[in-house]
């Protein structure tokens, strides 16, 4: 595409040397477009900026001869706004479909299609052979899009929700005007979870009442609430031919969750929603929806009203290109090591303070009991400049996801992807001082 004539400006040997360097730098960007896969090694910021600049120059608002007379012409007040959106001021999608190409934004449309291709290759490298789209909205609204698609394609009118005290799914259901049927949790030792047979009973009752239910299960959540048995739920949904949507907010970062997803995808899973900020180190505002059913993903995109801001999608593309596959796999390995360190240190602390670490299966978060007011403990940690830990009282039904009184007050401490071992050691050290 570029036809640059440098002849006669500098000595020919220097010209050839410069062209060689330029060619190799541009070859990296060319490879991204040709391969449409996540690179093994991440790209530096300058190359990512160049890639975005090339694409954004294709949009009509960058046309030096354009005559703009529409009501929506990507007019902006400040260059800062152009920088914040990665140059894609026209946004992505059309009024009828999020993933449709936008006539005024060929560059942004290519950027979005490329992002989805790279996202699919990323998930495939993690063992998930799925179709995927990046969404310009976070987890809750992405779930709303999926539920809306289930209502449109399968006439679903009731969401069966194995209770997890996550406001986003509850609000997503209310937002699109569907009724939610909660399936109550039960206590199994220290762990809180929902019995699969109770989910099946709820499905049967709704069908008997001539309703069309779908199931919204939870894969990732804070302990003591354990993951729903998404494999068994997917089998039940397959048996009753009803949609199954999984809230996997931070499922991509750990093989514990990925393995569950791989098994569930053998049965009925219409879509999984994950967060871009929790998994891919983006600013908050983007989501990832993935499925083996390409048609269902298209229904999801059709449920988005209007055009969308390109920024959340640009952020996902930038993260994927910047990290590269090798670095992400290394971060996953370090996250697993950090969780082990956290558990070891909390067990030592529990012995000193005559507390206990709750026996709950969770590869990201851990809980330690406290005889003090857990909310007060969490507040003190916050004042010590520690963000993340949660203090939950045993009578806080919303916090424990247990419809009854939980046996313990406790503190939740996380070791999500990107955490450093020194941060883990410091938080436990300060936790010891306030317990």
């Amino acid at each position: 595409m570029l036809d640059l004539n440098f002849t006669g400006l500098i000595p020919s040997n220097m010209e050839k040397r410069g062209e060689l360097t330029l060619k190799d730098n541009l070859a990296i960007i060319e490879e991204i477009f040709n391969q449409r896969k996540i690179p093994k090694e991440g790209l530096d910021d300058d190359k990512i900026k160049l890639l975005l600049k090339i694409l954004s120059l294709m949009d009509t608002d960058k046309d030096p001869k354009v005559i703009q007379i529409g009501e929506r012409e990507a007019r902006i007040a400040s260059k800062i706004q152009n920088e914040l959106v990665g140059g894609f001021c026209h946004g992505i999608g059309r009024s009828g479909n999020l993933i449709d190409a936008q006539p005024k934004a060929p560059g942004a449309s290519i950027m979005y299609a490329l992002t989805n291709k790279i996202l699919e290759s990323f998930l495939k490298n993690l063992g998930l052979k799925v179709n995927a789209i990046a969404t310009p909205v976070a987890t809750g609204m992405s779930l709303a899009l999926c539920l809306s698609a289930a209502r449109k394609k399968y006439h679903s009118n009731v969401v069966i929700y194995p209770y997890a005290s996550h406001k986003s799914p509850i609000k997503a259901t209310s937002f699109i005007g569907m009724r939610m049927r909660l399936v109550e949790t039960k206590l199994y030792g220290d762990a809180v979870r929902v019995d699969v047979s109770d989910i099946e009973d709820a499905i049967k009752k709704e069908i008997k009442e001539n309703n069309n239910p779908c199931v919204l299960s939870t894969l990732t959540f804070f302990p003591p609430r354990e993951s729903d048995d998404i494999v068994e739920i997917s089998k039940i949904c397959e048996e009753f031919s009803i949609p199954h949507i999984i809230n996997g907010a931070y499922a991509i970062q750990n093989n514990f969750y990925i393995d569950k997803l791989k098994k569930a995808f053998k049965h009925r899973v219409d879509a999984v929603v994950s967060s871009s900020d929790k998994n891919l180190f983006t600013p908050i505002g983007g989501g990832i929806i993935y499925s083996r059913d390409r048609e269902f993903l298209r229904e999801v995109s059709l449920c988005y009203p209007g055009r969308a801001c390109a920024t959340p999608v640009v952020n996902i593309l930038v993260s994927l290109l910047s990290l590269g596959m090798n670095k992400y796999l290394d971060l996953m390995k370090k996250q697993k090591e950090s969780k082990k360190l956290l558990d070891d240190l909390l067990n030592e602390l529990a012995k000193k303070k005559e507390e206990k670490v709750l026996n709950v299966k969770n590869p990201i978060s851990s809980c330690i009991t406290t005889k003090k007011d857990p909310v007060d403990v969490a507040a003190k940690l916050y004042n010590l400049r520690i963000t993340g830990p949660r203090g939950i009282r045993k009578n806080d039904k919303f916090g424990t996801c247990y419809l009854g009184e939980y046996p313990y007050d406790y503190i939740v401490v996380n070791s999500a992807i990107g955490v450093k071992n020194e941060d883990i050691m410091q938080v436990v050290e300060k936790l010891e001082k306030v317990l």
Side-chain angles (χ1 to χ4, degrees), residues 254-432:
N254 191 282
N255 284 317
F256 175 84
Y257 296 127
I258 292 171
D259 289 343
K260 288 179 180 290
L261 285 172
K262 285 192 282 189
K263 292 174 183 175
F265 271 124
K266 294 178 181 178
H267 305 284
R268 181 71 188 259
V269 176
D270 294 79
V272 183
V273 174
S274 294
S275 165
S276 64
D277 64 278
K278 290 182 175 71
N279 297 282
L280 294 177
F281 307 95
T282 70
I284 287 175
I288 303 164
I289 303 178
Y290 43 108
S291 171
R292 289 190 171 176
D293 186 347
R294 187 178 293 276
E295 284 305 309
F296 188 79
L297 280 184
R298 180 164 180 80
E299 287 293 343
V300 170
S301 73
L302 288 167
C303 290
Y304 189 92
R307 285 195 220 175
C309 176
T311 303
V313 174
V314 172
N315 283 330
I316 291 172
L317 176 60
V318 169
S319 282
L320 291 168
L321 294 178
S322 180
L323 289 166
M325 200 67 224
N326 289 345
K327 184 174 180 180
Y328 196 83
L329 292 173
D330 184 56
L331 286 166
M332 289 177 68
K333 180 181 176 183
K334 288 178 179 177
Q335 185 277 318
K336 189 175 180 180
E337 293 169 354
S338 294
K339 177 60 163 63
K340 184 180 184 305
L341 174 64
L342 175 63
D343 286 341
D344 290 343
L345 292 176
L346 285 181
N347 277 301
E348 290 177 13
L349 178 59
K351 289 178 182 177
K352 291 180 185 178
K353 297 291 184 176
E354 296 183 340
E355 301 288 358
K356 69 175 287 188
V357 175
L358 298 180
N359 182 21
V360 180
K361 292 179 182 177
N362 190 301
I364 307 294
S365 307
S366 303
C367 291
I368 185 170
T369 63
T370 175
K371 298 179 185 69
K372 295 184 177 180
D373 182 353
V375 175
D376 183 55
V377 171
K380 288 179 178 177
L381 290 173
Y382 180 79
N383 289 332
L384 290 170
R385 306 172 81 172
I386 298 171
T387 57
R390 298 182 175 209
I392 307 295
R393 298 185 180 114
K394 60 185 177 182
N395 60 357
D396 184 346
K397 296 177 183 179
F398 196 82
T400 61
C401 305
Y402 176 55
L403 304 183
E405 186 171 278
Y406 191 71
Y408 310 101
D409 294 323
Y410 60 89
I411 304 293
V412 182
V413 186
N414 305 298
S415 59
I417 193 167
V419 73
K420 300 174 182 176
N421 283 350
E422 52 263 37
D423 294 334
I424 296 290
M425 290 186 280
Q426 285 188 55
V427 72
V428 176
E429 180 183 323
K430 292 187 178 183
L431 180 58
E432 182 176 357

Side-chain angles (χ1 to χ4, degrees), residues 141-245:
M141 291 302 289
S142 293
L143 287 171
L145 289 175
C146 291
L147 292 173
S148 184
R151 180 175 58 185
K152 184 178 177 183
K153 186 173 183 178
Y154 299 109
H155 309 290
S156 300
N157 61 346
V158 179
V159 178
I160 293 176
Y161 186 53
Y163 181 62
S165 55
H166 191 181
K167 291 181 181 179
S168 291
I170 295 171
K171 288 186 175 182
T173 303
S174 174
F175 178 76
I176 65 165
M178 291 177 74
R179 177 169 64 85
M180 175 171 277
R181 183 189 187 112
L182 295 177
V183 183
E184 294 187 3
T185 55
K186 296 177 181 177
L187 188 61
Y188 297 84
D190 293 338
V192 173
R193 56 180 179 265
V194 176
D195 194 316
V196 174
S197 63
D198 291 342
I199 298 171
E200 185 173 4
D201 287 344
I203 292 171
K204 290 178 179 177
K205 288 177 182 177
E206 291 295 340
I207 291 175
K208 188 176 181 180
E209 293 172 8
N210 295 317
N211 287 314
N212 297 313
C214 65
V215 176
L216 174 54
S217 62
T218 302
L219 179 58
T220 57
F221 203 74
F222 298 106
R225 175 65 159 87
E226 287 190 339
S227 301
D228 286 329
D229 190 341
I230 62 168
V231 179
E232 290 303 313
I233 293 172
S234 67
K235 291 178 182 177
I236 293 169
C237 290
E238 185 176 48
E239 179 185 350
F240 288 94
S241 297
I242 64 171
H244 178 203
I245 296 161

Side-chain angles (χ1 to χ4, degrees), residues 55-72:
L55 290 176
S56 66
L57 284 173
M58 297 175 70
D59 287 355
T60 58
D61 60 302
K62 308 300 189 302
D63 181 354
K65 298 180 180 180
V66 70
I67 300 172
Q68 297 178 306
I69 59 171
E71 88 291 349
R72 185 182 292 169

